Amino acid sequence: MNKGLVLACLLLGLSACAPHTGGIMISSTGEVRVDNGSFHSDVDVSAVTTQAEAGFLRARGTIISKSPKDQRLQYKFTWYDINGATVEDEGVSWKSLKLHGKQQMQVTALSPNATAVRCELYVREAISN
């Protein structure tokens, strides 16, 4: 009985964290991953493009609200080198964004160094403390 109770508490604890970790990822190579279908019904992300800029890459993507209500979101770009390793990912924090109903907003980022060849844009619901 104790094992069942412990397992139930563990599963309940994990499910409480799930809504804050899932969202949408779209890469500059065209890959799309949706981890939270409910969130995706309210928010979408257009294609992420990159452009060379003074030896670095500039990424652009548009976050789109499909809901008539205001939404508080977070986003971040993660950069990868030619071998698929993350480039200076430590210290990159989520940025906050508020979208009004049906609003679209372009977000941009500059790669941290010249070794980056692609990126991924992650969008999720804002975590409220």
Side-chain angles (χ1 to χ4, degrees), residues 27-90:
S27 76
S28 58
T29 60
E31 177 188 357
V32 177
R33 187 180 72 230
V34 176
D35 296 323
N36 183 331
S38 173
F39 176 68
H40 187 248
S41 67
D42 290 333
V43 175
D44 204 357
V45 181
S46 70
V48 172
T49 60
T50 56
Q51 178 179 346
E53 185 176 301
F56 297 89
L57 284 180
R58 165 81 55 194
R60 289 181 174 79
T62 302
I63 302 172
I64 304 160
S65 170
K66 298 189 279 186
S67 169
K69 299 179 181 178
D70 290 354
Q71 297 182 49
R72 295 190 183 279
L73 310 173
Q74 294 177 319
Y75 72 94
K76 77 173 190 170
F77 287 87
T78 300
W79 296 90
Y80 297 88
D81 66 16
I82 192 126
N83 298 315
T86 56
V87 176
E88 296 183 28
D89 194 38
E90 303 83 25

